[in-house]
């Protein structure tokens, strides 16, 4: 590098300051330098914020075509999901702070209504369609209008919630679910307010 004279150095510094602080005039720059130290930074314009594009989701038809929620036939065995039922029972005990004999039934009932039922063993006790009565098994999937239940005979049953009453038993406590009043997705029940008094309509 060739040594620069005083005039060249002054011209370089002046040009550099104008580029670094484009909003200030020459006199203001000189005044700022005479009064205080200035940290020189590279000036860059802020990029305009664009609207974020949401990732495109699958439609209901595409999910059905891809069979995203279908269980493979070779995995439809009752014994495979028994450990899931044991985990569900422990989850309910923790949720209800222990199912003690002196616990008020309506307290347990209110928690069960908002709990996740995947892994629970349920029985269809009443139905407008007699063929559904007596179906017992572990809930594998819950949708807005149906339960998918695996029975002890390794048969996957699709049972609608509408016009059906389900019973659920854990540690001697029996709860009844009126499917017609229960047509919600599992993720939506936590914010739902249920009436604890059951109805006899199907």
């Amino acid at each position: 590098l060739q040594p620069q004279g005083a005039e060249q150095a002054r011209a370089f510094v002046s040009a550099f300051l104008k580029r670094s602080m484009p909003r200030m005039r020459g006199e203001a720059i000189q005044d700022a330098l005479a009064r205080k130290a200035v940290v020189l930074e590279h000036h860059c314009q802020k990029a305009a914020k664009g609207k974020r594009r949401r990732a495109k989701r699958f439609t209901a038809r595409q999910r059905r075509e891809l069979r995203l929620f279908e269980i493979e036939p070779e995995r439809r065995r009752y014994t495979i999901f028994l450990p899931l039922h044991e985990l569900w029972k422990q989850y309910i005990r923790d949720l209800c702070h222990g199912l003690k004999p002196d616990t008020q039934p309506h307290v347990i009932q209110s928690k069960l209504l908002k709990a996740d039922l995947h892994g629970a063993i349920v029985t269809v006790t009443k139905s407008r369609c007699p063929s559904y009565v007596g179906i017992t098994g572990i809930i594998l999937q819950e949708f807005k209008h149906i339960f998918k239940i695996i029975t002890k005979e390794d048969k996957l049953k699709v049972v609608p919630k509408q016009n059906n009453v389900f019973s659920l038993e854990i540690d001697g406590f029996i709860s009844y679910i009126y499917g017609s009043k229960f047509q919600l997705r599992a993720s939506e029940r936590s914010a739902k307010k249920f009436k604890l008094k059951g109805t006899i309509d199907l």
Side-chain angles (χ1 to χ4, degrees):
L1 296 175
Q2 296 295 328
Q4 296 181 346
E7 293 297 330
Q8 292 177 334
R10 191 177 294 108
F12 172 79
V13 172
S14 178
F16 181 78
L17 290 174
K18 287 180 180 179
R19 290 196 303 271
S20 300
M21 296 180 288
R23 296 181 181 179
M24 298 180 65
R25 296 182 179 180
E27 296 177 358
I29 293 174
Q30 294 298 329
D31 184 61
L33 289 174
R35 293 176 182 274
K36 61 182 179 180
V38 178
V39 179
L40 302 179
E41 297 179 353
H42 177 68
H43 176 75
C44 60
Q45 294 181 352
K46 293 183 179 180
K49 292 183 179 179
K51 293 183 178 179
R52 293 183 179 179
R53 294 183 179 179
R54 292 185 178 180
K56 191 175 181 181
R57 300 178 180 179
F58 289 123
T59 63
R61 178 178 294 179
Q62 289 174 329
R63 289 196 294 268
R64 286 194 298 269
E65 291 175 351
L66 293 173
R67 297 183 177 181
L68 295 179
F69 299 112
E70 289 193 14
I71 300 172
E72 298 175 359
E74 60 271 16
R75 297 185 180 275
R76 297 176 185 176
R77 288 186 292 171
Y78 185 83
T79 54
I80 291 178
F81 297 99
L82 281 175
L84 175 64
H85 174 62
E86 295 300 320
L87 289 173
W88 181 83
K89 288 197 296 185
Q90 186 59 48
Y91 154 68
I92 292 299
R93 293 186 187 112
D94 294 342
L95 182 66
C96 300
H97 306 291
L99 296 172
K100 301 177 182 178
D102 58 344
T103 305
Q104 294 295 328
H106 70 273
V107 174
I108 301 176
Q109 178 74 17
S110 63
K111 291 184 179 295
L112 283 176
L113 287 173
K114 297 186 178 185
D116 191 331
L117 297 179
H118 293 90
I121 293 180
V122 296
T123 301
V124 182
T125 56
K126 293 181 181 180
S127 177
R128 284 190 180 179
C129 180
S131 62
Y132 288 129
V133 177
I135 293 177
T136 302
I138 300 173
I139 294 179
L140 299 187
Q141 292 174 306
E142 179 188 355
F143 297 92
K144 185 174 182 179
H145 298 290
I146 63 170
F147 286 123
K148 285 190 176 182
I149 299 172
I150 186 76
T151 66
K152 291 183 179 181
E153 294 77 23
D154 297 335
K155 293 182 179 180
L156 186 65
K157 300 288 187 179
V158 179
V159 182
K161 296 179 181 179
Q162 183 75 24
N163 302 326
N164 286 325
V165 179
F166 304 86
S167 66
L168 183 153
E169 189 271 335
I170 177 171
D171 293 348
F173 180 83
I174 300 176
S175 177
Y176 292 94
I177 298 172
Y178 291 83
S180 300
K181 309 294 183 182
F182 207 70
Q183 297 189 71
L184 294 166
R185 295 180 178 88
S187 59
E188 297 174 351
R189 287 205 310 273
S190 59
K192 174 71 174 177
K193 292 183 179 180
F194 291 94
K195 293 181 180 179
L196 295 182
K197 293 183 179 179
T199 56
I200 58 175
D201 63 324
L202 293 179

